[in-house]
């Protein structure tokens, strides 16, 4: 069965899209640890990130870097952290988290709550910097 991320990539479930190319799709995390918390996923559905082909894993990091640079320019933060956990959704993904406090890099920290309108505005200000 398709993962929720595959359904997002196919447009069957809505998302606040940041960027996509032939191989990857990036969108805002619906339960963000910080403003601008973004997920980068490969379009090819693979559960465990280290099962990805070497070239895809390398390209995924370069794709994530482009977004991290845009996040640093658009969101007030100390730096953009990367996190890979993957225990909730069995579809490899990188969390990009523009954090002010180190505690925001833990998935067990409290999540922020933005309205849909606010999420649209956050996505827009990130995309302008791409
Ligand atoms: P993990 O698999 O533990 O790395 O975390 C999965 C992440 O996916 C969590 O941070 C969720 O908030 C996020 N997530 C789950 N469903 C959606 C969705 N429909 N849209 C955006 N983010 C989602």
């Amino acid at each position: 069965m398709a993962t929720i991320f595959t359904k997002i990539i196919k447009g069957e479930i809505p998302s606040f899209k940041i960027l996509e190319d032939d191989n990857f799709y990036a969108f805002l995390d619906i339960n963000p640890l910080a403003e601008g918390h973004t997920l980068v996923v490969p379009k090819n559905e693979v559960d465990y990130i280290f099962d990805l082909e070497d070239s895809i894993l390398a390209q995924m990091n370069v794709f994530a870097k482009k977004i991290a640079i845009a996040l640093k320019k658009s969101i007030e933060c100390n730096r953009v952290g990367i996190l890979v956990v993957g225990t909730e959704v069995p579809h490899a993904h990188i969390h990009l988290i523009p954090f002010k406090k180190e505690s925001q890099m833990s998935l067990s920290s409290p999540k922020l709550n933005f309205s849909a309108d606010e999420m649209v505005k956050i996505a827009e200000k990130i995309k302008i910097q791409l």
Side-chain angles (χ1 to χ4, degrees):
M1 203 178 92
T3 65
I4 192 162
F5 290 170
T6 293
K7 290 178 183 167
I8 285 174
I9 291 162
K10 288 183 171 169
E12 296 167 6
I13 290 178
S15 68
F16 300 98
K17 184 166 102 172
I18 301 297
L19 184 66
E20 83 174 297
D21 68 7
D22 289 346
N23 294 319
F24 307 104
Y25 190 98
F27 55 104
L28 293 180
D29 193 302
I30 206 81
N31 295 306
L33 286 158
E35 181 182 353
H37 181 167
T38 297
L39 301 176
V40 174
V41 304
K43 289 189 174 177
N44 186 19
E45 196 178 297
V46 168
D47 175 358
Y48 184 48
I49 194 163
F50 295 121
D51 284 335
L52 290 170
E53 280 175 31
D54 288 358
S55 71
I56 289 290
L57 182 59
Q59 287 172 52
M60 189 171 168
N61 279 283
V62 174
F63 183 86
K65 178 181 174 183
K66 190 171 174 183
I67 297 164
I69 290 168
L71 286 170
K72 187 77 171 59
K73 286 181 187 162
S74 54
I75 307 286
E76 198 188 324
C77 62
N78 285 345
R79 56 176 56 201
V80 177
I82 67 171
L83 185 68
V84 175
V85 183
T87 48
E88 185 187 319
V89 179
H91 186 148
H93 52 282
I94 293 174
H95 296 255
L96 294 175
I97 304 171
F99 68 91
K100 290 181 188 152
K101 292 182 294 182
E102 226 176 279
S103 59
Q104 289 175 290
M105 289 303 299
S106 165
L107 286 181
S108 51
S109 286
K111 307 297 189 312
L112 303 180
N113 205 347
F114 296 105
S115 69
D117 279 356
E118 287 171 324
M119 292 288 265
V120 168
K121 286 188 182 127
I122 292 166
E124 287 305 324
K125 73 176 171 182
I126 297 165
K127 286 190 285 185
I128 288 169
Q129 298 297 336
L130 284 168

